Amino acid sequence: MRFNVPLFPLLFQYRLQIALTTKTYFQPDEFWQALEPAHELVYGYGYLTWEWKEALRSIAHPVVFATVYWFSELLRLGDTGVIYGPKVLQALFAAIADYSVYKFAQKYYGDEISKLTLMCTVTSAFNYFVSIRTFSNSLEMTLLICALNYWPLDKTAGQVNMLNYSIALVLAAIACVLRPTNILIWSYLGVALTIRQRSFKIVALAGAIGTIILSLNALVDIWYYQRLTFPLYNFLKFNVVESLSSFYGVNRQVYYIVEALPQLLTVYVPFFFHGIYISRSTTLAQSCIFVVFVYSLISHKEVRFIFPLLPIFHVFAAISLCRLRILSRPKLKWTFLALLSLLNVPLALYVSTTHQRGVVDVTFYIRTTPSIESVGFLMPCHSTPWMSHMHRPDITAWFLTCEPPRGLSHSELTTYRDEADQFYDDPELFLRMHFPAVRGNETDVSRFRYDWPSHLVVFGALEELLTSYVGHAYVECKRFFNSHVHEDPRRRGDVVVFCKQND
């Protein structure tokens, strides 16, 4: 699959502009499970969440961004390379996904549907918002649609091209290394292909390539963790055997149908449902239905989990749009498509430049303010990026943690409260128990979990309570707009920075 010179640079420029102008926060994994481990690996400082201490995650994805940091150091780009290097690389991945889904639709469905697919892809509000973020799901999406360009689907007649099939297997195996759940769609496609071709060679090649990729990944993880460990096994044990993923939230079974798909597709959702109904007899449509069904059986659900399927969903939406009678009339066609696309624009711009931007802006302030010696975040855990954005080895920084319960009985699990929960249950009690007096003569501060830092960061929802507790010991020194509304009451209001006053 060769890049079309006129189209691909335009797509890359488009995604790069989005990446460089996105100033907001979506979910913690973008930073804490990708950039933070990479930053710690290269620079030797940062914070590794409990998943890394328990070896639940492969270092494969963070190594991608660690490479960016290494090159940044080699070229002496400083903070610019640390902050913008990963954005440039992720924009490249997003552009590859855009181009790949266009070529995929063109190969299997023709020019008209491929153009409509590209329109859906580049105007998708959710794609605009997430594809340029450093989630493993985002790279998983790129690998998935690239692999499908080489995969022998229903419309591929005759003998399987083994070279293309091998390329698809390599890309699919890497995607499964990044996110083990990616095996769902590839197992369905693989079984369907095996039944259709009835060839042992297909199964043997899949097994061989899968074994090679998993072995190489195991060597990388052993090098990183400095011990024999298998993150894939640990991941499955935690999420499936122990079912502790439910600690991070439980959703109703129809979540993906009534919540996730409308979030992913916005104005294109009715066309998607129509398109997948039209295509219901194809292996591709059936594999998507299978993946969503299996994910629906798992207690903990997130829209990101099915995000890698979004390019395929756009293909189905394009199939539906192509059937609309209104598109047979040129004047109405372009008016309708333009209005449909433009409906995504306000939402895309708002969530990328405005909603939850304060939690990112505050890290820029910390990075560029030399007078900050230490900083504490009295917020729900992982509310901001960390050293991958602050990039300051000279300061002491802490935040309220939210480690999941391990080794507890069922009755203990039902009453478990992590540190952030304990703080918000009774903030004043927590401060009295875990901090010395704000202005006092404590002789043994080591018996407290925390000491008062030079700067405190809180959400506006906690501002009045904190001001009452600390009195004149701290004063507001900076404020950043964060959101107009927020579904989590703890995160409502501006992000406020308090500075400690000298005695």
Side-chain angles (χ1 to χ4, degrees):
M1 182 182 65
R2 294 179 300 175
F3 285 147
N4 182 302
V5 176
L7 178 59
F8 182 74
L10 288 175
L11 292 172
F12 177 55
Q13 183 180 10
Y14 174 64
R15 292 301 177 192
L16 182 60
Q17 182 177 356
I18 296 170
L20 297 180
T21 56
T22 294
K23 304 294 184 183
T24 57
Y25 192 91
F26 178 37
Q27 290 181 345
D29 282 11
E30 175 187 359
F31 308 106
W32 294 85
Q33 306 299 357
L35 299 183
E36 197 64 22
H39 186 277
E40 195 275 340
L41 180 62
V42 175
Y43 297 102
Y45 67 96
Y47 186 93
L48 294 180
T49 61
W50 69 273
E51 291 100 326
W52 297 96
K53 298 168 186 175
E54 297 284 345
L56 259 70
R57 291 183 179 268
S58 171
I59 195 61
H61 185 233
V63 159
V64 172
F65 299 106
T67 304
V68 174
Y69 291 148
W70 280 321
F71 273 108
S72 174
E73 285 299 290
L74 184 65
L75 299 174
R76 298 183 179 181
L77 297 178
D79 289 2
T80 301
V82 173
I83 303 303
Y84 294 104
K87 291 176 177 288
V88 174
L89 181 59
Q90 190 59 49
L92 177 63
F93 292 150
I96 291 173
D98 293 340
Y99 185 79
S100 295
V101 71
Y102 168 74
K103 298 301 289 185
F104 173 81
Q106 187 179 58
K107 176 180 179 181
Y108 287 104
Y109 300 98
D111 286 341
E112 185 173 5
I113 289 180
S114 68
K115 292 174 183 176
L116 288 170
T117 299
L118 186 60
M119 181 203 75
C120 294
T121 297
V122 299
T123 61
S124 163
F126 199 90
N127 216 17
Y128 187 104
F129 182 51
V130 177
S131 67
I132 48 77
R133 295 180 182 270
T134 54
F135 291 112
S136 59
N137 311 88
S138 300
L139 182 53
E140 180 189 357
M141 176 189 71
T142 301
L143 291 167
L144 173 61
I145 194 60
C146 285
L148 282 174
N149 273 277
Y150 296 99
W151 187 266
L153 286 172
D154 299 336
K155 295 184 179 181
T156 305
Q159 194 77 10
V160 172
N161 183 313
M162 298 308 286
L163 176 59
N164 285 349
Y165 178 59
S166 298
I167 295 172
L169 287 173
V170 170
L171 295 172
I174 295 172
C176 292
V177 163
L178 296 181
R179 294 282 303 178
T181 48
N182 198 253
I183 198 171
L184 289 173
I185 189 168
W186 291 113
S187 62
Y188 192 96
L189 293 173
V191 169
L193 178 64
T194 303
I195 293 172
R196 190 169 73 246
Q197 293 291 326
R198 298 182 181 179
S199 170
F200 174 75
K201 186 187 293 187
I202 287 175
V203 179
L205 186 58
I209 290 178
T211 300
I212 291 171
I213 298 297
L214 287 175
S215 298
L216 291 174
N217 181 65
L219 291 176
V220 172
D221 286 330
I222 291 170
W223 161 78
Y224 175 71
Y225 285 108
Q226 294 294 297
R227 66 180 189 272
L228 183 63
T229 186
F230 300 98
L232 176 57
Y233 168 78
N234 298 334
F235 177 88
L236 293 174
K237 181 175 181 289
F238 174 85
N239 288 287
V240 179
V241 179
E242 298 181 20
S243 294
L244 288 178
S245 60
S246 60
F247 173 73
Y248 293 105
V250 175
N251 306 84
R252 51 183 174 165
Q253 286 192 323
V254 294
Y255 167 82
Y256 287 112
I257 303 299
V258 301
E259 294 183 52
L261 285 174
Q263 287 182 56
L264 278 175
L265 292 153
T266 57
V267 296
Y268 299 120
V269 70
F271 306 107
F272 159 74
F273 281 118
H274 180 227
I276 203 168
Y277 176 78
I278 294 171
S279 310
R280 63 191 182 279
S281 61
T282 65
T283 302
L284 188 62
Q286 292 167 0
S287 65
C288 291
I289 294 169
F290 171 74
V291 172
V292 173
F293 171 75
V294 174
Y295 271 132
S296 297
L297 300 178
I298 301 171
S299 298
H300 178 61
K301 302 174 179 69
E302 292 185 35
V303 65
R304 284 189 301 112
F305 295 170
I306 62 170
F307 172 63
L309 298 175
L310 186 56
I312 309 173
F313 293 167
H314 286 148
V315 173
F316 294 132
I319 292 171
S320 172
L321 286 168
C322 197
R323 296 284 188 95
L324 292 181
R325 291 184 180 180
I326 193 174
L327 297 191
S328 63
R329 303 173 64 180
K331 291 183 179 179
L332 289 177
K333 172 183 178 179
W334 296 114
T335 302
F336 174 76
L337 293 178
L339 288 174
L340 195 64
S341 301
L342 288 173
L343 287 173
N344 281 294
V345 173
L347 175 61
L349 292 176
Y350 179 74
V351 295
S352 295
T353 63
T354 305
H355 183 63
Q356 291 199 90
R357 68 166 297 154
V359 290
V360 178
D361 289 339
V362 73
T363 61
F364 174 82
Y365 171 73
I366 293 169
R367 186 175 70 254
T368 57
T369 307
S371 61
I372 296 178
E373 300 174 353
S374 56
V375 59
F377 292 78
L378 288 174
M379 295 174 156
C381 69
H382 308 147
S383 288
T384 70
W386 203 242
M387 287 302 162
S388 66
H389 278 56
M390 293 189 285
H391 194 58
R392 289 206 40 193
D394 59 315
I395 66 172
T396 301
W398 54 259
F399 63 94
L400 302 177
T401 61
C402 52
E403 309 296 311
R406 303 300 302 271
L408 299 184
S409 66
H410 179 72
S411 59
E412 290 173 322
L413 286 174
T414 59
T415 59
Y416 177 80
R417 306 291 289 169
D418 61 42
E419 185 180 51
D421 289 332
Q422 294 172 34
F423 171 71
Y424 279 96
D425 286 342
D426 191 334
E428 290 193 32
L429 177 62
F430 185 93
L431 293 174
R432 287 197 302 270
M433 290 180 60
H434 298 286
F435 288 77
V438 183
R439 288 193 184 278
N441 298 312
E442 295 282 354
T443 57
D444 183 18
V445 296
S446 63
R447 67 189 182 91
F448 295 99
R449 180 173 176 81
Y450 297 107
D451 195 6
W452 294 101
S454 67
H455 292 70
L456 276 172
V457 184
V458 301
F459 283 112
L462 199 70
E463 180 182 0
E464 185 177 340
L465 184 147
L466 182 67
T467 302
S468 173
Y469 187 87
V470 300
H472 297 293
Y474 282 86
V475 296
E476 178 187 325
C477 54
K478 199 70 177 177
R479 178 182 292 265
F480 301 94
F481 168 81
N482 191 58
S483 61
H484 291 102
V485 294
H486 205 290
E487 67 276 6
D488 185 346
R490 301 173 303 172
R491 291 182 165 93
R492 289 175 184 163
D494 297 336
V495 172
V496 188
V497 183
F498 287 91
C499 302
K500 192 175 184 179
Q501 300 300 289
N502 296 323
D503 296 329

